[in-house]
């Protein structure tokens, strides 16, 4: 693994999702992170236009380097976001904004970088598992899509492991699942974890449950399903939230086994926070632990919701301040002027 380079300040830090882009500025190693207003991706044709309007013109900033976390795999000099029309071109950004360095990360890789510095007050625990220091950790969370990453401690450094885990297949388990699954709309011909455990996935689940029950689907957005489910105003919406929590627990438990994540499994993103009462009601943890013959392993693993604001930005800032703490392989993801 190559030695981590130092990056010139100020550093523009960004967390670019399918719906929102969050930017911040880090003026120096010991400086506080300066948060900038959230940008709606639909309001700008390109990411460069969004940076120009919100960072250069809006904040009057002149960053010397940029570190951007993107919702999608980092491949080549033109990176297409998974759930957004934006294409990120580091060479073009370097030329337009006079940057010395651009680093691109996976969005949940950035989430994982925040894990070592999370304090107890940054977490809302689910269940009674206990996190072991310096053991493997996993973070995942539903939003416009579903993000997954792991964090491994080795050779005195934290090493993030990004991936496309959301695109694994997910199937029915209970008799009720087997009744609902035939009515689920497929994404790209498949039923993946992201197709169920995400904002759009919430709507798919809701419509499938309504079709199974022979009732009209009266909720038209994930927000409406969430509100109706939490209030108890819509029985199918309430079941949707429980089934989503169960599905998230199944996938989280699979990841706990895949990585032997004794450092904990952490849920990130706005949806996890909004449906926290459902996640803590029992279905999530029951599904998480239902991993025969290895229940004894997953029962030990801590699970919690990350409640710290802008955790991905904090994770990127931690790397920008002290790259040597982390074992990031930047080949193919670091562009220099």
């Amino acid at each position: 693994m190559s030695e981590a380079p130092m990056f010139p300040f100020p550093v523009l830090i960004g967390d670019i999702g399918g719906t929102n882009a969050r930017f911040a500025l880090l003026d120096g190693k010991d400086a506080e992170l300066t948060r900038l207003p959230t940008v709606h991706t639909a309001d700008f044709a390109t990411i460069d236009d969004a940076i120009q309007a919100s960072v250069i013109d809006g904040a009057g900033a002149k960053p010397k380097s940029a570190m951007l976390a993107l919702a999608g795999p980092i491949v080549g000099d033109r990176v297409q976001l998974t759930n957004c029309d934006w294409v990120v071109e580091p060479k073009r950004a370097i030329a337009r904004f006079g940057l010395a360095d651009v680093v691109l990360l996976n969005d949940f890789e950035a989430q994982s970088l925040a894990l070592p510095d999370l304090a107890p007050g940054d977490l809302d625990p689910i269940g009674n598992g206990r996190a072991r220091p310096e053991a493997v950790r996993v973070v995942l969370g539903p939003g416009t899509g579903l993000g997954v990453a792991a964090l491994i401690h080795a050779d005195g450094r934290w090493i993030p492991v990004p991936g496309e885990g959301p695109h694994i297949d997910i199937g029915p388990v209970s008799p009720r699942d087997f009744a609902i699954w035939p009515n689920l709309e497929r994404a790209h011909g498949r039923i993946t974890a992201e197709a169920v455990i995400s904002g759009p996935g919430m709507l798919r689940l809701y419509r499938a449950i309504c079709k199974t029950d022979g009732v009209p689907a009266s909720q038209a957005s994930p927000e409406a399903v969430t509100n109706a489910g939490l209030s108890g105003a819509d029985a199918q919406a309430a079941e949707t939230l429980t089934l989503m929590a169960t599905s998230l627990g199944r996938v989280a438990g699979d990841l706990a086994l895949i990585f032997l994540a004794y450092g904990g499994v952490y849920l990130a993103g706005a949806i996890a926070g909004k449906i926290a009462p459902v996640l803590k009601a029992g279905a999530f943890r029951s599904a998480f632990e239902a991993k025969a013959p290895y229940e004894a392993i997953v029962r030990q693993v801590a699970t919690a919701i990350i409640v710290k604001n802008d955790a991905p930005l904090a994770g990127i800032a931690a790397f920008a301040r002290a790259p040597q703490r982390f074992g990031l392989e930047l080949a193919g993801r670091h562009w220099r002027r």
Side-chain angles (χ1 to χ4, degrees), residues 5 29 33 44 50 83 103 138 142 168 220 250 256-257 264 287:
K29 179 180 177 181
L33 197 60
F44 295 92
N83 294 302
V103 172
V138 168
I168 60 173
R250 289 171 183 157
L257 283 177

Side-chain angles (χ1 to χ4, degrees), residues 8-105:
F9 295 98
V11 179
L12 169 62
I13 291 172
D15 175 25
I16 317 300
T19 303
N20 295 309
R22 300 169 178 86
F23 294 111
L25 289 167
L26 186 64
D27 288 329
K29 179 180 177 181
D30 299 319
E32 293 291 325
L33 197 60
T34 301
R35 181 71 155 81
L36 301 177
T38 297
V39 169
H40 297 292
T41 56
D43 291 344
F44 295 92
T46 70
I47 185 173
D48 289 353
D49 290 343
I51 291 172
Q52 183 70 49
S54 63
V55 179
I56 308 301
D57 297 337
K62 293 184 179 180
K64 293 182 179 178
S65 56
M67 296 183 183
L68 307 176
L70 310 178
I74 312 302
V75 180
D77 293 332
R78 299 183 76 255
V79 180
Q80 172 69 61
L81 272 70
T82 302
N83 294 302
C84 173
D85 292 334
W86 283 1
V87 176
V88 182
E89 298 181 81
K91 292 180 179 178
R92 184 183 294 272
I94 286 171
R96 178 168 176 175
F97 302 118
L99 300 170
D101 296 82
V102 172
V103 172
L104 300 184
L105 307 174

Side-chain angles (χ1 to χ4, degrees), residues 217-232:
S218 56
Q219 313 302 331
S221 69
E223 293 78 14
V225 173
T226 299
N227 292 336
L230 290 175
S231 69

Side-chain angles (χ1 to χ4, degrees), residues 9-284:
F9 295 98
V11 179
L12 169 62
I13 291 172
D15 175 25
I16 317 300
T19 303
N20 295 309
R22 300 169 178 86
F23 294 111
L25 289 167
L26 186 64
D27 288 329
K29 179 180 177 181
D30 299 319
E32 293 291 325
L33 197 60
T34 301
R35 181 71 155 81
L36 301 177
T38 297
V39 169
H40 297 292
T41 56
D43 291 344
F44 295 92
T46 70
I47 185 173
D48 289 353
D49 290 343
I51 291 172
Q52 183 70 49
S54 63
V55 179
I56 308 301
D57 297 337
K62 293 184 179 180
K64 293 182 179 178
S65 56
M67 296 183 183
L68 307 176
L70 310 178
I74 312 302
V75 180
D77 293 332
R78 299 183 76 255
V79 180
Q80 172 69 61
L81 272 70
T82 302
N83 294 302
C84 173
D85 292 334
W86 283 1
V87 176
V88 182
E89 298 181 81
K91 292 180 179 178
R92 184 183 294 272
I94 286 171
R96 178 168 176 175
F97 302 118
L99 300 170
D101 296 82
V102 172
V103 172
L104 300 184
L105 307 174
N106 173 267
D107 59 341
F108 267 71
E109 183 178 21
Q111 284 274 9
S112 75
L113 296 177
L115 296 180
D117 297 325
L118 292 178
D122 297 325
L123 300 169
D124 185 7
I126 305 173
N128 298 316
R130 295 178 64 86
R132 299 182 189 176
E134 299 188 351
V136 179
R137 306 176 188 192
V138 168
V139 60
L140 72 161
T144 306
L146 176 67
V148 173
L151 190 69
I152 296 170
H153 195 267
D155 195 27
R157 294 187 291 179
W158 287 105
I159 303 170
V161 183
E164 290 302 319
H167 301 287
I168 60 173
D169 293 314
I170 186 170
V173 176
S174 70
R176 178 62 169 166
D177 293 344
F178 277 96
I180 293 169
W181 244 247
N183 294 318
L184 269 170
E185 305 156 13
R186 279 147 174 79
H188 306 289
R190 303 166 59 211
I191 299 177
T192 64
E194 183 172 87
V196 173
I197 310 167
S198 63
M202 185 184 292
L203 272 180
R204 286 189 186 93
L205 279 178
Y206 175 69
R207 288 193 289 258
I209 290 170
C210 289
K211 187 173 181 180
T212 303
D213 290 347
V215 300
S218 56
Q219 313 302 331
S221 69
E223 293 78 14
V225 173
T226 299
N227 292 336
L230 290 175
S231 69
D234 183 321
Q236 285 72 33
E239 184 179 2
T240 297
L241 299 186
T242 299
L243 183 51
M244 188 169 180
T246 300
S247 300
L248 183 57
R250 289 171 183 157
V251 172
D254 288 344
L255 292 167
L257 283 177
I258 288 168
F259 289 100
L260 289 180
Y262 289 118
V265 175
Y266 302 91
L267 306 180
I271 290 178
K274 289 176 182 175
I275 67 170
V278 181
L279 292 171
K280 299 180 72 173
F284 169 84

